[in-house]
């Protein structure tokens, strides 16, 4: 089974040299810690920054310099600031190469729900609907099952939809999946996880061969 | 062409109850602190506030919510505010949530004289209910209309007496588009300079969009998530 950092580490292996990448809040943010050596990517923060750097040293925080999660950050050589309209032109105009975001549910058709739990949590969609509607390549980082042990990889999302038919890949604590016409295609098992366990915890259509390889981190 | 007014109280003096306001900022970054304090002090209510977020309980738009001054919020994300949540769940506060890029573009369109655009954001979701759908190049889009305000309330870093503005870092965010979309646009700045002191090459918002500008004071610039690394 993968922990949050290992999920981030696996996703980081999907980054390619020259990519502009938007990382969502939560596990996706951790991907920045595992960018492979020799791979040069630029992180886009949708509140108006290309070239997001690490957290500042204590005492050097600047209230004017935050990321989309409202955390204090820094710039890097080559960074650029811009307004929100320009930021979403980058996103909607498909200039961003890869989007990594969290999800509450994903369907075997690539639908995603991540913005609202009716009656419980209504925080808003922020930039998520714009991102999923236009991104060329979306990887979702999520937990495979909820606290009650129920699958979050479903045949149909039960929560309000953020976007339809948009997720390309999913990484959970149990494995790495691609969304195909036939549903969730198991590409790699997490270390120590059996195909049987993945089958039992996936409600949506799953294509998993018994000799699916184990993930190498 | 001198647009300078003395302070926040004078800048906002003709905002009345029931006005539609746009307030710049992302989270607590780049919010018009002085004007918000003046609006709270003035005590007007039934306001419609268009702003990406709704502040936190005791800062930013949260201060206006505390005083029940807001009738309706139009935002993309309102997650950090428990007073907001209470008022929304009790039905006291009307809330319209819209995708962030759609919000930004609708403000820009209001200022640019473009009544509507088509976006893929929200297709297949509750955002698309009752909106015109149209296919372009085999992809579905929904139509979204412009947004305009009675008063746009903007925070910039530097400004001059003509109302030309320069923003700092990610405090720019929604401020430039909202500055364009106001019938009256009010700007507070950290540094107010005579015309000619700002390099015209560096202006983010040209003064034509600005009606009033004043030198702000006592900026708290609160940080929502203070994240650091050890030396």
């Amino acid at each position: 089974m993968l922990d949050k950092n290992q999920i981030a580490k696996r996703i980081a292996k999907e980054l390619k040299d020259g990519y502009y990448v938007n990382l969502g809040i939560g596990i996706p943010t951790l991907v920045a810690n595992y960018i492979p050596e020799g791979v040069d990517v630029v992180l886009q923060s949708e509140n108006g920054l290309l070239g997001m750097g690490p957290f500042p040293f204590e005492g050097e925080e600047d209230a004017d310099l935050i990321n989309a999660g409202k955390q204090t950050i820094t710039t890097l050589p080559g960074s650029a600031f811009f307004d929100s309209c320009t930021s979403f032109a980058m996103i909607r105009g498909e200039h961003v190469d890869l989007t990594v975001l969290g999800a509450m549910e994903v369907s075997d058709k690539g639908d995603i729900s991540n913005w609202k739990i009716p009656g419980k949590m209504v925080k808003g969609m922020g930039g998520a609907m714009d991102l999923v509607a236009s991104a060329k390549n979306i990887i979702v980082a999520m937990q495979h099952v909820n606290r009650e042990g129920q699958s979050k990889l479903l045949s149909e999302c039960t929560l309000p939809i953020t976007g339809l038919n948009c997720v390309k890949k999913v990484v959970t604590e149990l494995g790495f999946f691609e969304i195909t016409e036939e549903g969730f295609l198991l590409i790699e098992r997490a270390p120590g996880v059996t195909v049987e366990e993945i089958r039992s915890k996936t409600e949506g259509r799953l294509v998993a061969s018994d000799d699916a390889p184990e993930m190498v981190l | 062409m001198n647009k300078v007014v003395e302070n926040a109280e004078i800048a906002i003096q003709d905002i009345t109850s029931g006005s539609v306001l746009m307030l710049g900022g992302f989270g607590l970054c780049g919010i018009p602190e002085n004007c918000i304090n003046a609006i709270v002090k003035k005590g007007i209510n039934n306001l419609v506030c268009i702003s990406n977020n709704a502040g936190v309980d005791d800062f930013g738009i949260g201060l206006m919510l505390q005083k029940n001054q807001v009738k309706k919020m139009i935002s993309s994300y309102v997650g950090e505010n428990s007073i907001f949540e209470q008022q929304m769940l009790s039905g006291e506060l009307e809330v319209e949530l819209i995708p962030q890029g759609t919000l930004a573009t609708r403000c820009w369109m209001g200022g640019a004289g473009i009544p509507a655009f088509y976006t893929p954001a929200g297709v297949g979701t509750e955002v698309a209910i009752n909106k015109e759908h149209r296919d372009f190049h085999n992809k579905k889009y929904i139509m979204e209309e412009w947004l305009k305000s009675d008063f746009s309330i903007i925070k910039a870093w530097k400004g001059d007496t003509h109302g030309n503005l320069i923003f700092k870092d990610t405090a720019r965010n929604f401020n430039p588009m909202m500055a364009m979309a106001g019938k009256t646009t009010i700007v507070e700045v950290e540094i107010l300079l005579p015309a000619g002191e700002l390099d015209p090459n560096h202006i983010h918002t040209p003064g034509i969009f600005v009606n009033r500008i004043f030198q702000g004071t006592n900026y708290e610039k609160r940080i929502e998530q203070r994240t650091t690394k050890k030396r």
Side-chain angles (χ1 to χ4, degrees):
Chain A
M1 281 236 265
L2 303 180
D3 63 22
K4 285 179 178 181
N5 281 295
Q6 290 169 316
I7 291 176
K9 199 171 175 185
R10 178 61 191 86
I11 291 173
K13 288 172 73 176
E14 299 297 301
L15 301 179
K16 303 266 186 316
D17 197 43
Y19 266 15
Y20 286 92
V21 181
N22 182 291
L23 300 177
I25 295 163
I27 300 176
T29 306
L30 300 172
V31 172
N33 300 333
Y34 300 102
I35 297 168
E37 216 164 301
V39 173
D40 189 14
V41 300
V42 174
L43 300 181
Q44 199 247 19
S45 189
E46 68 260 27
N47 57 316
L49 170 62
L50 275 177
M52 178 166 61
F55 295 151
F57 287 119
E58 276 177 26
E60 291 179 5
E61 313 91 286
D62 182 345
D64 289 329
L65 183 46
I66 63 168
N67 63 18
K70 285 106 179 173
Q71 297 171 311
T72 47
I73 47 158
T74 55
T75 55
L76 294 169
S79 285
F81 294 116
F82 38 86
D83 63 57
S84 301
C85 207
T86 306
S87 178
F88 282 90
M90 293 174 191
I91 290 165
R92 229 187 277 107
E94 298 182 26
H95 304 284
V96 175
D97 299 293
L98 174 65
T99 294
V100 183
L101 72 177
M104 300 170 187
E105 295 176 347
V106 168
S107 85
D108 58 24
K109 292 170 282 298
D111 304 341
I112 176 171
S113 297
N114 71 351
W115 75 282
K116 182 178 184 181
I117 306 173
K120 271 193 192 158
M121 196 269 313
V122 188
K123 289 174 187 289
M125 65 291 283
M129 282 188 186
D130 309 270
L131 280 159
V132 302
S134 297
K136 285 181 283 193
N137 191 5
I138 300 177
I139 304 180
V140 164
M142 67 187 293
Q143 298 299 316
H144 207 101
V145 294
N146 64 18
R147 285 200 191 97
E148 289 77 44
Q150 292 162 323
S151 179
K152 295 163 74 163
L153 277 60
L154 303 169
S155 48
E156 296 285 345
C157 291
T158 65
L159 294 168
I161 292 288
T162 309
L164 298 174
N165 246 314
C166 53
V167 177
K168 300 286 190 291
K169 293 167 182 167
V170 179
V171 182
T172 75
E173 72 276 22
L174 301 183
F176 180 91
F177 305 85
E178 265 178 37
I179 309 258
T180 65
E181 294 281 309
E182 287 75 41
F184 298 105
L185 172 65
L186 176 63
I187 304 292
E188 296 168 2
R189 293 172 293 116
V193 173
T194 63
V195 173
E196 205 165 312
E197 181 179 1
I198 291 169
R199 282 202 187 104
S200 73
K201 289 181 174 171
T202 306
E203 190 268 334
R205 290 174 300 149
L206 175 72
V207 182
S209 86
D210 288 324
D211 51 8
E214 190 169 277
M215 194 179 290
V216 181
L217 285 166
Chain B
M1 203 46 77
N2 188 352
K3 297 175 181 176
V4 177
V5 295
E6 201 179 335
N7 56 36
E9 284 70 30
I10 292 167
I12 63 128
Q13 64 183 351
D14 55 347
I15 302 183
T16 53
S17 292
S19 295
V20 177
L21 310 183
M22 283 183 185
L23 297 110
F26 185 98
L28 303 179
C29 180
I31 61 171
E33 293 182 26
N34 282 223
C35 284
I36 289 172
N37 289 336
I39 289 168
V40 170
K41 206 167 125 196
K42 192 170 156 76
I44 46 176
N45 53 34
N46 275 317
L47 299 169
V48 175
C49 291
I50 303 169
S51 180
N52 188 53
N53 312 88
V56 295
D57 282 343
D58 61 346
F59 199 60
I61 294 175
L63 297 170
M64 294 162 64
L65 293 166
Q66 264 186 31
K67 294 272 169 72
N68 292 302
Q69 291 179 283
V70 184
K71 179 180 72 176
K72 181 176 179 182
M73 266 319 297
I74 300 177
S75 303
S76 87
Y77 189 82
V78 292
E80 334 289 348
N81 192 318
S82 63
I83 293 176
F84 182 96
E85 214 170 333
Q86 283 163 29
Q87 291 187 2
M88 179 168 67
L89 293 171
S90 71
E92 251 175 288
L93 177 68
E94 203 185 321
V95 179
E96 187 180 338
L97 292 169
I98 55 183
Q100 195 175 135
T102 300
L103 177 62
T105 306
R106 288 175 70 187
C107 293
W108 179 84
M109 291 193 307
I114 299 172
F117 83 129
Y118 289 89
T119 179
V123 169
T125 77
E126 56 191 66
V127 166
I129 295 170
N130 295 328
K131 285 184 183 148
E132 183 190 319
H133 286 62
R134 194 163 158 184
D135 283 24
F136 293 94
H137 306 285
N138 300 316
K139 186 168 169 167
K140 272 205 182 347
Y141 295 81
I142 51 174
M143 191 179 80
E144 297 277 6
E145 292 187 25
W146 61 13
L147 281 171
K148 297 183 182 207
S149 73
D150 296 320
F151 296 90
S152 283
I153 302 173
I154 302 305
K155 158 77 197 317
W157 178 37
K158 291 179 181 175
D160 69 17
T161 49
H162 277 223
N164 296 306
L165 307 178
I166 295 175
F167 302 91
K168 183 168 161 284
D169 300 1
T170 54
R172 192 181 323 182
N173 54 63
F174 284 81
N175 280 298
M177 286 84 64
M178 290 183 169
M180 294 166 66
K183 270 184 215 139
T184 300
T185 292
I186 300 167
V187 182
E188 55 179 86
V189 291
E190 289 176 58
I191 302 167
L192 181 61
L193 296 164
E197 293 291 309
L198 296 175
D199 183 339
N201 285 303
H202 294 167
I203 302 296
H204 296 132
T205 292
I208 192 168
F209 297 118
V210 173
N211 300 97
R212 300 169 199 162
I213 189 166
F214 69 93
Q215 168 76 59
T217 54
N218 299 317
Y219 281 103
E220 182 181 339
K221 291 189 153 190
R222 198 184 289 188
I223 290 173
E224 220 166 315
Q225 306 282 343
R226 189 178 296 273
T227 44
T228 58
K229 60 180 180 185
K230 293 257 182 265
R231 273 177 203 280

